Amino acid sequence: MPEKILSNRPQNQGILVLDFGSQYTLLIARRLREVGAYSEVIDGRVTAPPVGLTVRGIILSGGPDSVYEEGSRSLPEWAMKLNVPVLGICYGMQLLVERAGGKVRAATKREYGRATMNVVPTTGPASVLFEEGSTTQTVWMSHGDDIGTIPQGYQIAAETDGHVLAALVHVHLPIAALQYHPEVAHSEKGADLLRRFAKNLCGMTLDWDGQARVDSLCHHIKETVGSGHVLVACSGGVDSTVTAALLMRALGPEKVTAVFCDTGLLRKNEVPWVSEKLKVLGLQHMELLSSGDLFFRELKGVTDPEQKRKIIGRLFIEEFETYAKKHKEFTHLGQGTLYPDVIESAGHGAGAKVIKSHHNVGGLPDRLALKLVEPFRWLFKDEVRAVGLQLGLPEELIQRHPFPGPGLAVRILGEVTVDRVKMLQEADDIFISALHEKQLYHVPWQAFAVLLPIKSVGVMGDNRTYQQTIALRAVTSSDGMTAGVADLPLSFLTLVSDRIIRRVSGINRVVFDITTKPPATIEWE
Ligand code: XMP
């Protein structure tokens, strides 16, 4: 692998989240950072804490295992020996209970979704996690096991309306255990509990803020790139654009070249729009790679979603590599890699199943003779957005809906062809333009159109039609890890449907996707 640089962490103390395979683990760290407490995630199976981080508290994540089953992940003793406050969540709770001699059993009924929780007064140090006098709150449950016998030394801190044990605190140690998920937005006072854990129990100063981030990132960039020249792979997305802006802030515009790869799979008018925005940033060197033909050629006949993702990821890297080899002045390659990508792809994940292979990380081949600059490898997306605003980038760019690396290819079910991309670009543009026109763009966190591989019968004028279907997807979310359905007015959806059918030839039906994540994912592939 090329030498990884900028791996210097931005703070040297924080809360360590031990990952036991929950889909929500990253959310725990994000929520902590949102309340100002720097945090990192590591695999729950590692045998020592990370070098260079002073651990102020430990959180044990949830996970798919059952503690009583053979081969299940266990609680590492080193974590308990650090003698710092510990919070166990779901599976993390069960690990603590089992360790203390309590009993975990298969729940008679799997609990999933919202529950009402009643807090009862407790006395141990961890009782500071619950606001005094606040008795009832909504929490998010997702578990198949529960606690059969409470271990000695622990007392009940909360139960649900259905008398399911929801929280335990230790009588005299700074340890607490929750059956529910405070990191999930549906848990009403979840962020407050995590803030109390960091501040009141771990004694942290909540100083992880915007200016601190920009200063520390610029310092590391200058230190590691020196007088080098950086090539930035731009996709038009928030991450790569903010990467380019930050590198320019740290090194000066003459030391940064943005290369934009037009895969042919982008949204309508994306290339001129992004080029314009990059120029406004003061960028002096910009290159456009027109790679559409190559991508369509390689995607011909491919219908499998994972295969599409792999092909696109490979081509994307090869295109940059070819460019970089022709231009010898570059010393570094800048990428907008984010912390969640690093955790998931660098083997830190504790075996949470791969749902989709994200293409924008980790594929850089050894032979690329450039060092990597990834200023955001310790940051979450919302932190990157905050950096972008801090650097003076326009809101319309920073607050754009996310767009996946593989582009429209994962929104075209079945084969990706030039005609099908055009059809989808038109339908998507009609949907997004209507959201802007009716001032609804920020109601969903992300919205887009999907082209389905099915035909159905319709009637247009006096004629029978047999044409394709567009699905509209509009979700609410805070990070894409979970999602709800955006509440768009039916009158608006029918207006969009009407416009699509009138203007996009080949479409005679429009449907609205009303599935949350989980169980669905946001993208259809
Ligand atoms: P899913 O479909 O996994 O999407 O629920 C969650 C969020 O991630 C985006 N997404 C991607 N972003 N490269 C990216 O940069 C990818 O390969 C990729 N796949 C999905 C998706 O648009 C949503 O915001």
Side-chain angles (χ1 to χ4, degrees):
M1 280 293 286
E3 185 194 344
K4 292 260 182 212
I5 61 166
L6 286 185
S7 55
N8 299 11
R9 55 172 49 83
Q11 290 213 343
N12 55 16
Q13 55 173 303
I15 290 176
L16 195 58
V17 180
L18 266 56
D19 179 20
F20 293 101
S22 164
Q23 296 286 338
Y24 299 136
T25 301
L26 291 185
L27 264 183
I28 304 172
R30 248 198 76 221
R31 293 274 179 261
L32 285 164
R33 291 194 190 187
E34 272 170 15
V35 299
Y38 181 70
S39 61
E40 291 185 12
V41 177
I42 55 161
D43 191 321
R45 293 168 298 198
V46 301
T47 51
V51 178
L53 183 78
T54 303
V55 179
R56 301 293 302 270
I58 296 257
I59 296 190
L60 311 169
S61 86
D65 295 353
S66 289
V67 291
Y68 48 79
E69 268 172 18
E70 208 170 308
S72 60
R73 284 163 261 215
S74 53
L75 179 53
E77 270 312 304
W78 63 259
M80 302 308 286
K81 285 195 182 132
L82 289 176
N83 283 327
V84 294
V86 177
L87 175 66
I89 297 175
C90 201
Y91 185 72
M93 171 193 223
Q94 292 151 15
L95 285 173
L96 287 170
V97 164
E98 202 203 26
R99 182 176 185 272
K103 245 198 156 42
V104 178
R105 60 179 182 195
T108 42
K109 185 167 122 262
R110 193 174 187 281
E111 230 189 344
Y112 182 77
R114 285 186 179 81
T116 302
M117 179 179 90
N118 303 305
V119 179
V120 293
T122 46
T123 49
S127 56
V128 294
L129 297 187
F130 300 97
E131 190 187 348
E132 216 169 296
S134 160
T135 49
T136 303
Q137 51 189 275
T138 302
V139 293
W140 183 261
M141 291 283 192
S142 174
H143 62 107
D145 289 340
D146 63 14
I147 308 302
T149 313
I150 298 168
Q152 266 197 343
Y154 281 88
Q155 55 188 321
I156 295 177
E159 281 184 330
T160 66
D161 265 357
H163 297 290
V164 173
L165 179 60
L168 289 174
V169 294
H170 200 279
V171 183
H172 55 84
L173 295 174
I175 301 179
L178 309 175
Q179 185 62 81
Y180 69 97
H181 289 268
E183 69 277 21
V184 171
H186 303 301
S187 288
E188 219 182 345
K189 294 186 178 163
D192 184 53
L193 181 133
L194 293 171
R195 188 182 58 76
R196 287 163 172 274
F197 177 72
K199 186 164 184 276
N200 302 354
L201 203 57
C202 303
M204 285 184 72
T205 317
L206 305 180
D207 60 355
W208 176 242
D209 64 29
Q211 194 54 49
R213 277 170 239 168
V214 173
D215 293 347
S216 142
L217 295 171
C218 283
H219 173 78
H220 288 315
I221 291 171
K222 273 190 225 152
E223 216 174 44
T224 50
V225 178
S227 59
H229 195 145
V230 188
L231 166 73
V232 188
C234 279
S235 66
V238 174
D239 310 334
S240 59
T241 314
V242 182
T243 302
L246 184 72
L247 287 164
M248 284 198 293
R249 165 69 63 92
L251 304 168
E254 64 287 351
K255 291 291 184 190
V256 181
T257 297
V259 178
F260 185 36
C261 181
D262 180 4
T263 57
L265 305 166
L266 300 168
R267 287 168 284 196
K268 189 179 173 186
N269 293 331
E270 182 77 354
V271 175
W273 194 88
V274 173
S275 307
E276 193 49 42
K277 299 293 166 223
L278 287 171
K279 277 190 202 127
V280 173
L281 284 181
L283 206 67
Q284 294 175 1
H285 310 293
M286 170 153 170
E287 290 283 344
L288 178 68
L289 308 179
S290 299
S291 316
D293 290 349
L294 171 72
F295 279 75
F296 283 114
R297 213 168 40 240
E298 297 272 329
L299 286 169
K300 196 169 168 16
V302 179
T303 55
D304 176 69
E306 273 302 292
Q307 216 188 329
K308 279 184 194 171
R309 282 177 170 271
K310 292 209 166 106
I311 292 170
I312 295 166
R314 172 176 59 79
L315 293 178
F316 199 74
I317 285 157
E318 283 172 9
E319 285 294 86
F320 280 106
E321 193 189 1
T322 309
Y323 177 85
K325 280 191 173 157
K326 279 196 223 144
H327 297 80
K328 301 288 180 211
E329 69 271 30
F330 299 116
T331 53
H332 294 78
L333 182 94
Q335 276 199 326
T337 310
L338 302 186
Y339 189 47
D341 305 331
V342 172
I343 296 173
E344 277 163 22
S345 64
H348 293 294
K353 290 197 178 67
V354 173
I355 311 288
K356 297 174 186 183
S357 52
H358 280 219
H359 92 64
N360 41 350
V361 216
L364 280 164
D366 293 347
R367 58 188 187 271
L368 190 62
L370 296 176
K371 291 176 181 168
L372 276 179
V373 184
E374 296 176 317
F376 301 139
R377 52 186 294 115
W378 294 100
L379 264 58
F380 288 103
K381 183 139 197 138
D382 43 356
E383 295 174 319
V384 170
R385 284 203 163 109
V387 168
L389 290 175
Q390 199 102 19
L391 293 170
L393 288 170
E395 283 259 357
E396 59 166 340
L397 197 151
I398 297 298
Q399 303 302 355
R400 258 183 130 193
H401 293 173
F403 187 69
L408 298 182
V410 291
R411 295 177 179 173
I412 293 176
L413 278 70
E415 191 182 6
V416 181
T417 63
V418 174
D419 288 345
R420 299 191 81 209
V421 168
K422 278 210 182 106
M423 204 182 255
L424 180 59
Q425 279 177 332
E426 288 305 323
D428 187 69
D429 184 57
I430 290 167
F431 183 27
I432 301 302
S433 303
L435 283 170
H436 282 298
E437 178 192 318
K438 304 291 177 193
Q439 273 150 31
L440 292 169
Y441 184 75
H442 289 299
V443 172
W445 178 81
Q446 187 176 18
F448 52 89
V450 181
L451 181 60
L452 305 188
I454 48 164
K455 285 184 170 180
S456 68
V457 174
V459 55
M460 237 180 246
D462 290 331
N463 296 320
R464 175 188 190 269
T465 57
Y466 186 56
Q467 295 179 334
Q468 303 194 61
T469 307
I470 285 284
L472 303 178
R473 181 87 163 126
V475 295
T476 54
S477 183
S478 54
D479 45 31
M481 290 167 82
T482 58
V485 179
D487 193 359
L488 293 174
L490 190 57
S491 56
F492 171 78
L493 293 170
T494 49
L495 169 94
V496 173
S497 162
D498 186 50
R499 285 182 184 174
I500 290 176
I501 290 170
R502 271 191 294 114
R503 295 185 203 163
V504 187
S505 94
I507 303 293
N508 71 348
R509 191 176 295 271
V510 176
V511 297
F512 184 55
D513 180 352
I514 52 166
T515 332
T516 55
K517 171 184 179 174
T521 53
I522 295 177
E523 301 291 345
W524 278 45
E525 286 193 338

